[in-house]
Amino acid sequence: MADELLAYGEYFLAGYVKNFDASPWDRCAEGIITSIRHAEFKINLQMDFAPASSVYCAGSASCHAGFNGYGINVENFYKRVEAAKTPELKKAMLTALEIYKRDSMHGRTGKLYGEFEKTVKDIPVNAGNFFSYFSDWQGHATVDYKTLLEKGLPFIKKSIEKSRQGIAADSTAYVREHHFLDTMERLYDAVVHLIERFTDELKRLCGTDIDGGEKKRAERLVHCFNRMLEGPPKNFFQALQFYHFYTALDAFDNAGRIDANLAPFYCASEMRGETTYEEAVRLLSQVFGIWGGMDLWNMAVAGRDANGQSIANELTLAVLDARKTLKTPKPGLSFCLNDSTPDSFVFRAFDSLAEGTGHPAFYNDNLYVNTLIEMGYPAEDAAGYAFGGCSETHIPGCGAARDSFFNMATALECALHGYFPAMESGKLTVKPLRTKIDSFENFFAHYKKILESMIDAFVEIRNETQKEVSLRCPAMIRSLFINDCIAQKISQSEGGARYSHGLIDVYGTATVADSLYAVDELVFKKRAVSLQELAAILKRNYEGEKDFLHMCLSLPKYGNDDSKADKFAKEVFDHAFGYIKTKTLWNGGCYYGFCASAPGSHVIFGRTTGATPDGRLAGASLSNSAGPTAGCDVSGPTALLKSVTAPRLSLAAGTPVVNLSLSPENLKHEFRPALLSLLKSFFSMGGMQLQFNFTDAKTLIEAQKNPRLYQSLIVRVAGYSARFADLDADLQDELIKRTVHSI
């Protein structure tokens, strides 16, 4: 069966079913190793870099994603079964699928949570719909580019050998640790084999009838791949090619501090006359073009060192200039701004924004570093932080960010409608709230208890899921290329990385804050309705309550520098994110929160969330990221940003994303000093992150009506950018509702 699958191009499955007696962990490892050894790759000699696309079996149904174990595209799988030319091959495919379903995380998820999924359907007010990701999703991380560039690939092999020598003969983990290192060595050999295959194919192309330019590029790549097996790169081009290859091997997740990692090679090559600034921009543009096509999520530039000195350099500018040449939503770009960053670098970043890509987003470098140090990270590691996915903070090469989603508006629903969800014996139960609520303080206390119970349940289920992931689909590439998995002799998924993080993306903070203000004002102060009457009104989605709906909508809202509204936002935010930080991963790491609304799930969660006291109708979008509800910020950009800094944003160390929509004219050169001043003022008040949209509602409405005419329109959605025409209608509507400010 394995041979038939291998011949059919189902490389992962071929390895996965090779040994029926192996554990799921070993099945996964064999599948990943087989995938890498037989990976399909594309070389385009009109380009300077290879590969020109993914190296993972693009046509197969079973795939290995370097950073996230593996998976099967079920729809594509059955198409592949139908396309199989022999009954034996069809049988092999279906048998392999059954083994996968039985032993993989996919099958285990169904067993663990099948009853849960049945239960939540019957829970009133969707009390079970407060989180997502029972799957094998392991989150984002960044491989150790710095070590790979400074010491070269052979250093990894030496690390494996050194770790093996450190195993004590009488160790109780002797067999397990040797087995792990054996697997890492086989994985390393598979990577070497892939490099050798690239080299052989490039040599073959050199011997064919290709033009002089293509032959020159092929010969240069042959030298690059040969050098990769020997040690670190010797010049900027080699360093960038190495970087690109490892990014492709990691399935194009995140590129980390690209300017800091590549700057030493660029400076040396420039001094030797081997490259110029213009050539560096051209080469970076080409690499970013490939990455954009492969949906690479994030890369970061600028920032500071452990001593507080800016590390922004000429290559930072080259990255900015290269990124602005691409009219694509990805790769994402994050600019780490501190007091010592030259203003000229920020103005160059504004040039990139002016191209309409939504990049870069800006990050308060000093606050991030200080927050991470307070959390216990050494200053050097803290200063090197980067972002995964939309904006998930982690330390490149040293840890992962296992992100997942949480809807806090459900806790408010339960408090309003009298239900208390909690885990009992591994199952979610929902019981009626029988305590009489006679004051807002009492109501708020109940809401907090419900939220804490939901976070407890969330963490319990998420921890159980990730524990199963570590046994069934470990991220092998990450285990090879992230510190300190080899030294600790356990996979990154099991907690082998130096730092393990559990990140919770929290949805609906402003929705909850504005709703609590409404409850306090209308139920307990003005006595316009009782709590029971309010619950009934919400249950019927304000039907027949036009005047009361207007009353709810007319109350002050978070986002306008209103002290009363902002007070609720602060209490809601500080409580939720403070409580998340008390939670622990199953393998001993820490949890912390973030607000990125990725990927547009504030709209998705909103669809199953009932009407809320802020005037939001059932099914409508929740508030976006850490900012106000769309359209509720009506007092100008300064008021908006002052409101956002009312909470202690550093509690959400994973990044509290803030979207600011400004008039397109505010990117004209005469407005840029004021834009810089606004950005710096926000950071001085405690803001952590700020990103911009420079598109007005009129343009978005026209784009919604005539998508074919606006295929190139890119908007900043939340922690990411996307083509407006590709977004679903509800998400487009949420973007259109956002207030467009002027400075």
Side-chain angles (χ1 to χ4, degrees), residues 6 11 32-43 50 54-57 189-205 221-222 225-226 229 245 249:
L6 194 66
Y11 305 126
I32 290 171
I33 290 168
T34 305
S35 290
I36 294 175
R37 293 190 71 88
H38 296 85
E40 298 168 1
F41 54 81
K42 180 180 179 182
I43 295 174
S54 174
V55 296
Y56 292 116
C57 322
D189 290 342
V191 173
V192 168
H193 179 68
L194 179 60
I195 294 170
E196 291 172 341
R197 288 177 58 215
F198 268 98
T199 307
D200 291 342
E201 175 62 11
L202 286 161
K203 286 180 178 178
R204 186 192 69 78
L205 290 170
L221 283 170
V222 167
F225 281 108
N226 281 334
L229 298 179
F245 177 80
L249 194 63

Side-chain angles (χ1 to χ4, degrees), residues 335 337 341-347 350 362 666 671-683 692 743:
F335 189 104
L337 175 64
T341 306
D343 288 352
S344 59
F345 282 70
V346 186
F347 287 128
F350 291 164
F362 296 92
N666 288 152
F671 287 99
R672 292 188 185 181
L675 186 61
L676 176 59
S677 178
L678 184 74
L679 179 60
K680 287 185 173 182
S681 295
F682 176 56
F683 285 174
F692 299 96
I743 56 175

